[in-house]
Amino acid sequence: MSSERDQYSNRTTLPLVIIGYGDIARRVAERHPDHAITAFSRQVPFCPVTHRGHWASVAIDLDQMASTVNIPTQAIWLYFAPPARSGESDTRVANWLAAVPDHQRPSVVIYASTTAVYGDQDGAWVDEHTPPKPAHDRGRRRLDAETRFGQWCAAHSVPLTVLRLTGLYACDRLPLERIRAGAPVVCPEESPWSNRIHADDLADIYTRLIARVEQAAPVAGVFNISDNNPRPMTEFYVNTAAHFDLPAPPCLPLADVLAQSSPMAREFLTESKRIDARAIQQALDWQPRYPDLATTLASCP
């Protein structure tokens, strides 16, 4: 820990602007108690109890923005807000960018995207050079947002970091209710590949990215975010159930599970790929604290 403090000690603290204040944004905010933070969300974002720096909470509706926003200049933008639930374009990103005055441009933009932009890869390995080919509107909206941020940042000479996230999990983000309800999973021989990143590991990545910006050495580009340990999706449910002494979920053929799944679940079940996330590890000299499901489950009470 001391070496990490030394590594990041010679830097200028910049204000943070958080757009979309959910679980990951909260974890990132908690890691920056002395930063000036402006947090935008549909509901008024709460200030972490340990925060000592300036905090501004702003309720905002990205679907209906009628005026410009007032934010610090040269801030680090952390854009977490999801797109709307329909359509192929991210109108929320478009509305946000249109509401920002030119004189309030950021020092860097870090956008939370998704590996859904790659679509189905039939279980193949995917890295940042794999061409996006989203198979559903959710992935198309995210790719549209990446494009909008890319064009805006290029026009304003602002570095852009795009993080293509895999499934987020932690001890308090496990599918225990689904397992207790006896929801079926796909039988192992048909199970698609799935990829995950622990919520705290993702927050650690943001912390390192922020530090690099404040050292005047931003890490720009597109990066896949995963623990680099893809596993069949069914294994995730079976091993989680075993850890908590719950009955193993029943398995059914893929077609039967798809027939009784929600639209979102069907997307995950029909997009099988293995994510290569070595690029972010090399760029940040970082390794996950939770490199696999077993490590995470061992940390759960």
Side-chain angles (χ1 to χ4, degrees):
M1 182 65 73
S2 60
S3 61
E4 185 168 320
R5 282 198 300 266
D6 294 341
Q7 180 181 359
Y8 296 142
S9 60
N10 185 24
R11 73 192 205 199
T12 300
T13 299
L14 295 174
L16 306 180
V17 172
I18 299 174
I19 307 99
Y21 193 79
D23 178 51
I24 301 303
R26 174 189 59 81
R27 293 173 194 252
V28 174
E30 289 175 347
R31 284 162 169 74
H32 297 84
D34 296 312
H35 278 64
I37 297 180
T38 304
F40 293 86
S41 185
R42 187 177 294 273
Q43 304 296 325
V44 176
F46 63 88
C47 177
V49 295
T50 57
H51 194 76
R52 299 182 292 267
H54 174 75
W55 179 277
S57 297
V58 183
I60 191 172
D61 184 350
L62 291 171
D63 293 320
Q64 301 178 22
M65 297 184 66
S67 60
T68 59
V69 293
N70 184 23
I71 55 179
T73 59
Q74 294 302 306
I76 298 172
W77 287 7
L78 309 176
Y79 193 101
F80 293 100
R85 295 186 179 181
S86 62
E88 296 187 1
S89 60
D90 191 339
T91 54
R92 293 176 178 173
V93 167
N95 290 343
W96 170 262
L97 294 176
V100 177
D102 277 347
H103 68 278
Q104 292 181 339
R105 67 186 59 175
S107 59
V108 70
V109 174
I110 304 176
Y111 172 61
S113 185
T114 171
T115 53
V117 299
Y118 296 116
D120 179 34
Q121 297 289 333
D122 197 26
W125 281 96
V126 171
D127 65 16
E128 292 82 358
H129 299 290
T130 303
K133 58 167 191 176
H136 301 94
D137 283 351
R138 182 174 65 91
R140 296 184 186 104
R141 290 191 292 271
R142 292 292 192 170
L143 188 59
D144 176 75
E146 291 184 15
T147 301
R148 289 179 187 273
F149 271 124
Q151 293 172 344
W152 189 91
C153 287
H156 293 83
S157 299
V158 173
L160 171 64
T161 305
V162 173
L163 304 182
R164 290 176 174 167
L165 310 182
T166 50
L168 299 173
Y169 81 123
C171 290
D172 57 352
R173 298 183 63 136
L174 293 172
L176 297 180
E177 290 187 13
R178 177 181 170 84
I179 293 171
R180 291 190 179 101
V185 297
V186 179
C187 291
E189 59 271 17
E190 289 188 286
S191 177
W193 289 93
S194 65
N195 307 266
R196 291 168 303 278
I197 182 72
H198 193 286
D200 282 334
D201 281 331
L202 178 56
D204 290 345
I205 288 173
Y206 272 94
T207 299
R208 286 179 177 249
L209 288 171
I210 291 167
R212 287 288 297 271
V213 175
E214 294 177 336
Q215 292 174 309
V219 178
V222 177
F223 297 95
N224 294 334
I225 305 298
S226 168
D227 62 12
N228 259 330
N229 187 29
R231 302 299 305 165
M233 187 179 296
T234 295
E235 183 179 296
F236 177 68
Y237 287 93
V238 170
N239 290 359
T240 299
H243 177 81
F244 289 96
D245 294 323
L246 297 172
C251 84
L252 294 174
L254 175 61
D256 293 345
V257 176
L258 288 173
Q260 53 185 286
S261 296
S262 67
M264 177 71 78
R266 285 197 293 271
E267 289 186 22
F268 288 119
L269 288 167
T270 56
E271 293 188 359
S272 179
K273 49 187 169 282
R274 287 178 283 176
I275 297 298
D276 182 339
R278 289 176 294 177
I280 193 65
Q281 295 181 356
Q282 295 167 359
L284 295 178
D285 189 24
W286 166 84
Q287 293 292 324
R289 287 188 283 159
Y290 301 91
D292 50 38
L293 175 63
T295 305
T296 295
L297 291 177
S299 71
C300 297

